[in-house]
Amino acid sequence: FSPSNVGEREDHRASTSSQVSDPEKASRCPRCSTPFTTTFRRHHCRNCAGLVCDDCSRHRMRVPTDPSAGNVRVCDACALTIGESHAASMEEDVDISSEIV
């Protein structure tokens, strides 16, 4: 999420956190409803902090809020948003580069 998408991130965070009052007690993934087990574990998106399972958080990428952390787990929804933001930034870079040449 870029600074202009902060409200969007807060809305996403609120929607995911409201699904489970205490994430540590959740018995299922709030996104796909798959039950957590000793081998199918809980994870948290490092961008929105939402509770997710492995299937709902397959992406690893740098998050705008902490780029120095390297590639970290993000949920599918955040991966899509961050990917769109990165694509827009790359388009801007290409436009600027073409103006210089």
Side-chain angles (χ1 to χ4, degrees):
F1 294 94
S2 67
S4 63
N5 294 348
V6 170
E8 199 175 296
R9 179 177 61 212
E10 294 303 322
D11 290 345
H12 179 63
R13 188 175 289 162
S15 70
T16 56
S17 65
S18 66
Q19 294 171 355
V20 179
S21 58
D22 184 359
E24 299 308 314
K25 293 182 181 177
S27 61
R28 296 177 174 272
C29 174
R31 312 226 178 174
C32 69
S33 299
T34 302
F36 292 123
T37 66
T38 55
T39 57
F40 192 74
R41 302 184 57 187
R42 296 166 182 80
H43 300 283
H44 291 86
C45 172
R46 300 298 180 222
N47 191 59
C48 71
L51 178 67
V52 288
C53 68
D54 186 58
D55 291 342
C56 293
S57 59
R58 295 270 177 186
H59 303 279
R60 306 293 184 274
M61 55 182 48
R62 292 180 189 273
V63 293
T65 55
D66 190 9
S68 63
N71 291 341
V72 294
R73 179 185 299 271
V74 295
C75 67
D76 295 345
C78 286
L80 180 63
T81 304
I82 292 169
E84 289 171 354
S85 175
H86 285 188
S89 296
M90 289 179 69
E91 285 179 23
E92 290 172 10
D93 291 346
V94 168
D95 288 343
I96 291 170
S97 295
S98 64
E99 289 174 9
I100 295 172
V101 175

